[in-house]
Amino acid sequence: MQPQLVLAAGDPSSTNIWAIANTPFLWFCALGVFAVIFIQTVLYSRAAKVAAPHVDMPARELKESFRAGAVASVGPSLAVVFVAIALLALFGTPAVLVRIGLIGSVSAETGSATISAVTMGASLGGADYTQQVFAVAFMAMSLSGAMWMLATLILTPIMKKGGKSLAKRNPAVMALIPTAALLGAFSALTIAELPKSNVHLILVAVSATTMALCLFLAKALNAKWLKEWALGISIVVAITAGYFLHTAA
Amino acid sequence: MSTSAAQLTGADASMARFEKQTTRYGSLTMSAGLIFSLLGPIYLVFFSDLDIAPSMIWVAFLAVAATFGVLWIVEPATYFPILGSAAMYQAFMIGNISNKLLPAAIVAQASIGAKPGSKRGDLAAVMAICGAATVHLTSLLLFVGLLGTWLVSMVPAEVIEVARLYILPSLMGAVLVQSIVAMKSLRPTLVAITLALLMNFVILPAAPALAMFATALVVIASILVSWLVRDRTQFSATTED
């Protein structure tokens, strides 16, 4: 299927991802998602302001809740920012903003992109990571994200109408399935990195150890911020190690 | 708390109106967000001359669906009792629910002394997520959109090359440890790691054609085997409840 209309000059076999990933239209779509969330926030705040007086909730408490939420999210937001910057080289700014920063999460989205690249016989970030592979990966992760939103759109009214939700009916199964699914996905994705090269093997170990150390220290010192920043710190330590191993090799 | 019947119905009615409004606003904005999030990749796939066959998309999507598909449904079902219907439409568009939005909502409820699930608690959670969203949108635009793009363009090409080459092992090792610690379930962890090792070092070398669906197969097998080897005493105790 060859489209007649060609709006952006892509080159399927080029590995210059940024040339295609930072095109103005993608920026426009990313800013569109930002605008939608901003509008949602305004509409929700207004609706809450109307409802609050009727449930004995003074306007002061609404403001305080807003402020508390804002303050509480400064650390986690900056931690997400940090990880997002590390992924810019891989996906370009608009895709990182929408997929990593907003709708999805770092792990699920990078996982989806990795899986998609493999189906095309390529590896994410490798020498065979072309514009074509990027576009297919971006499409697959966006479709997956869309399914999450679609499920929310369909399930929320159903769960609101009540009856017994699945979670109430069988909590054990409901807890086991996502746990096993997530652990299975991340084990498979992590262990698939090991045979790629000795450097990959060492970096997985470095990254995993750094995370373990951060989480241990966070618990021992009761430092919540360290838990939030652990992923960013692990990436930086591992990438730095990767730089030295790569240039030494 | 002594609330007269008249006040109670007034409060209920206004909360019902709030629910109705947020459901309408929420589903409309979420649909718009869904469309914007798909427009970008659609543009690349169909209008950028990248020679992409529909089968490539389908295979990639199937492989992703087989891996994460179960979470599409389970995650909304899990968060609904905690978030309530209004916040659901916010949470699944803003993302980072467990590491950012839930803590924000809980902190807000605690700071005004409202119980989760109460009317004040629900409004506090919604306002907290509004606050979190405002901070998050601003910091993403500023630090990733502007500063990050500039920063990456300033970094020497060879460093970017190394980052691109090694970002996956550097990220995944940490993500795996993070999820193991977060899940706190020994048996599924052992099952998942064993199956992943088996897949990558025994099955794939023998049958490389399976690579496409390797992750999905490990996920499905992990669910099944974890269920078979579950701690039965714990499970029968919870289901009797």
Side-chain angles (χ1 to χ4, degrees):
Chain A
M1 188 192 71
Q2 195 49 251
Q4 270 85 42
L5 185 61
V6 174
L7 297 174
D11 175 357
S13 56
S14 162
T15 54
N16 185 357
I17 301 301
W18 268 39
I20 199 103
N22 284 333
T23 48
F25 187 74
L26 294 196
W27 271 100
F28 165 76
C29 296
L31 293 177
V33 178
F34 273 78
V36 165
I37 296 177
F38 180 72
I39 292 167
Q40 187 191 52
T41 302
V42 172
L43 290 174
Y44 266 54
S45 307
R46 273 203 345 216
K49 258 171 217 145
V50 173
H54 303 279
V55 298
D56 292 331
M57 193 173 180
R60 178 180 49 78
E61 288 190 346
L62 282 183
K63 255 191 210 133
E64 203 177 317
S65 302
F66 183 92
R67 205 184 51 86
V71 171
S73 72
V74 168
S77 279
L78 290 179
V80 170
V81 160
F82 200 65
V83 175
I85 290 176
L87 289 163
L88 283 178
L90 215 47
F91 301 124
T93 315
V96 163
L97 284 176
V98 175
R99 307 258 42 106
I100 313 281
L102 296 176
I103 296 162
S105 65
V106 196
S107 39
E109 301 294 319
T110 316
S112 302
T114 310
I115 293 164
S116 311
V118 170
T119 65
M120 301 191 67
S123 61
L124 204 64
D128 46 11
Y129 181 52
T130 59
Q131 291 187 358
Q132 190 188 44
V133 175
F134 164 72
V136 170
F138 187 27
M139 186 81 220
M141 68 214 255
S142 301
L143 280 173
S144 175
M147 295 304 288
W148 247 291
M149 292 204 245
L150 211 59
T152 307
L153 283 170
I154 295 169
L155 290 178
T156 304
I158 296 174
M159 290 185 291
K160 204 170 116 192
K161 278 203 191 88
K164 277 194 170 174
S165 74
L166 193 59
K168 272 181 204 151
R169 209 174 293 155
N170 203 336
V173 183
M174 282 294 288
L176 183 89
I177 292 176
T179 302
L182 276 177
L183 288 170
F186 296 137
S187 301
L189 291 166
T190 306
I191 288 167
E193 293 299 311
L194 302 181
K196 284 186 182 167
S197 78
N198 285 338
V199 179
H200 283 78
L201 185 92
I202 296 169
L203 294 190
V204 168
V206 169
S207 162
T209 314
T210 313
M211 172 59 82
L213 202 68
C214 285
L215 292 181
F216 173 76
L217 286 176
K219 190 155 190 196
L221 306 172
N222 203 9
K224 217 186 104 214
W225 65 269
L226 191 56
K227 208 172 147 191
E228 285 156 9
W229 285 85
L231 190 57
I233 294 171
S234 307
I235 292 175
V236 168
V237 171
I239 288 273
T240 312
Y243 182 76
F244 288 116
L245 289 170
H246 186 81
T247 45
Chain B
M1 279 260 183
S2 60
T3 328
S4 75
Q7 268 176 311
L8 195 73
T9 47
D12 283 342
S14 78
M15 275 315 272
R17 196 170 59 232
F18 173 75
E19 292 273 314
K20 217 173 131 189
Q21 275 180 335
T22 48
T23 301
R24 199 176 69 231
Y25 297 153
S27 48
L28 281 175
T29 45
M30 184 170 251
S31 307
L34 196 154
I35 291 166
F36 270 117
S37 78
L38 283 178
L39 275 181
I42 285 174
Y43 166 80
L44 280 192
V45 166
F46 292 102
F47 304 111
S48 299
D49 209 13
L50 287 173
D51 282 338
I52 293 166
S55 65
M56 295 177 186
I57 306 283
W58 283 117
V59 173
F61 178 64
L62 264 176
V64 172
T67 307
F68 292 110
V70 65
L71 298 172
W72 297 340
I73 306 204
V74 169
E75 265 198 1
T78 313
Y79 283 124
F80 179 81
I82 310 168
L83 291 168
S85 97
M88 284 288 281
Y89 299 107
Q90 297 179 289
F92 281 88
M93 196 150 57
I94 301 167
N96 300 291
I97 301 171
S98 60
N99 59 346
K100 198 182 66 219
L101 299 186
L102 283 182
I106 292 163
V107 166
Q109 289 170 340
S111 82
I112 64 159
K115 280 206 190 86
S118 67
K119 295 187 176 76
R120 279 173 68 230
D122 281 357
L123 290 182
V126 164
M127 286 309 283
I129 294 178
C130 287
T134 309
V135 166
H136 196 55
L137 291 180
T138 315
S139 53
L140 275 179
L141 271 182
L142 234 60
F143 297 125
V144 181
L146 295 177
L147 200 69
T149 314
W150 174 79
L151 203 73
V152 174
S153 70
M154 296 311 280
V155 172
E158 78 228 49
V159 177
I160 297 289
E161 189 55 35
V162 169
R164 217 178 85 172
L165 205 52
Y166 296 120
I167 184 74
L168 268 191
S170 305
L171 173 76
M172 281 303 163
V175 164
L176 179 60
V177 171
Q178 199 176 35
S179 21
I180 289 172
V181 172
M183 301 294 176
K184 288 190 192 72
S185 357
L186 182 64
R187 289 184 197 199
T189 302
L190 294 178
V191 166
I193 291 178
T194 312
L195 288 171
L197 285 169
L198 220 73
M199 175 58 80
N200 281 287
F201 292 101
V202 180
I203 300 174
L204 279 186
L210 279 178
M212 264 190 193
F213 290 96
T215 313
L217 288 171
V218 172
V219 168
I220 294 160
S222 295
I223 295 174
L224 293 176
V225 178
S226 299
W227 175 250
L228 289 175
V229 302
R230 71 192 182 278
D231 189 345
R232 277 155 215 269
T233 50
Q234 187 194 331
F235 273 77
S236 58
T238 42
T239 37
E240 266 167 34
D241 251 352

